[in-house]
Amino acid sequence: MDFVLLNFGSIRSVISQGDITERTAYEVMPFENSIVIAELDGKAIRTMVSFLTKSSVAHPISGIQIIVDKNKSLQAVNIQGKPFDENRTYYVATSDYLITGGDKMDFLKEYITLTDSDYLIRNTLIDYFKKIDTLRAATDDRFLQIN
């Protein structure tokens, strides 16, 4: 898998300071959406990046960096720390809801191959919470606006 794309609307709660429980995962991700891995060509990735840069909300991404200028003009796209190559395919982990064009992400319907993990997104949160002791908030440069 090269990167992750989810949608802003799927996250329904914040994770507040204090103990994190299984209930926290249900509050954050109340939907029964599973993870799917879609193979996308460079054209679909370019359409996705355009959608994300024009969006009025910040959709969660990981493994991909999008750099725009103050006018939201695209400056660079890096996937796993390497420049985007429009001539190759990439594997994106997303939800079974989005892969059908949910939240107007029709570009995901252009997949080459699709693998359903049969693993709920919520369960990834629960498993992650069990594995770590402390969550730490951090600012990174996944979506960066330069002046």
Side-chain angles (χ1 to χ4, degrees):
M1 184 211 37
D2 294 300
F3 64 94
V4 176
L5 169 65
L6 294 174
N7 62 312
F8 176 83
S10 66
I11 299 171
R12 292 301 173 114
S13 182
V14 298
I15 299 175
S16 300
Q17 186 173 349
D19 291 338
I20 297 172
T21 65
E22 194 169 307
R23 179 180 178 159
T24 306
Y26 276 85
E27 290 169 351
V28 171
M29 183 63 60
F31 306 107
E32 297 295 312
N33 296 115
S34 65
I35 299 169
V36 296
I37 310 295
E39 180 184 11
L40 299 175
D41 65 16
K43 181 182 174 197
I45 300 296
R46 190 155 300 282
T47 303
M48 178 199 78
V49 169
S50 177
F51 172 87
L52 293 173
T53 59
K54 292 175 183 171
S55 180
S56 61
V57 296
H59 295 287
I61 56 174
S62 180
I64 185 170
Q65 179 190 46
I66 300 169
I67 302 172
V68 297
D69 67 16
K70 63 183 177 183
N71 299 317
K72 287 194 171 186
S73 294
L74 186 63
Q75 299 300 302
V77 176
N78 298 303
I79 299 175
Q80 292 298 319
K82 297 178 184 163
F84 165 62
D85 179 354
E86 193 161 350
N87 297 313
R88 67 164 281 206
T89 62
Y90 291 92
Y91 292 88
V92 57
T94 190
S95 76
D96 58 344
Y97 167 70
L98 294 179
I99 205 69
T100 62
D103 219 359
K104 300 181 183 173
M105 294 192 190
D106 291 325
F107 51 84
L108 289 172
K109 295 192 293 188
E110 303 301 318
Y111 61 84
I112 298 165
T113 63
L114 184 67
T115 304
D116 189 339
S117 70
D118 199 31
Y119 189 37
L120 295 180
I121 296 171
R122 178 188 325 109
N123 289 353
T124 65
L125 293 174
I126 292 168
D127 291 344
Y128 183 72
F129 294 160
K130 288 178 182 177
K131 192 168 119 177
I132 63 165
D133 180 58
T134 304
L135 290 177
R136 302 210 185 280
T139 301
D140 60 26
D141 58 359
R142 296 175 200 196
F143 203 113
L144 186 62
Q145 181 176 329
I146 56 175
N147 294 321

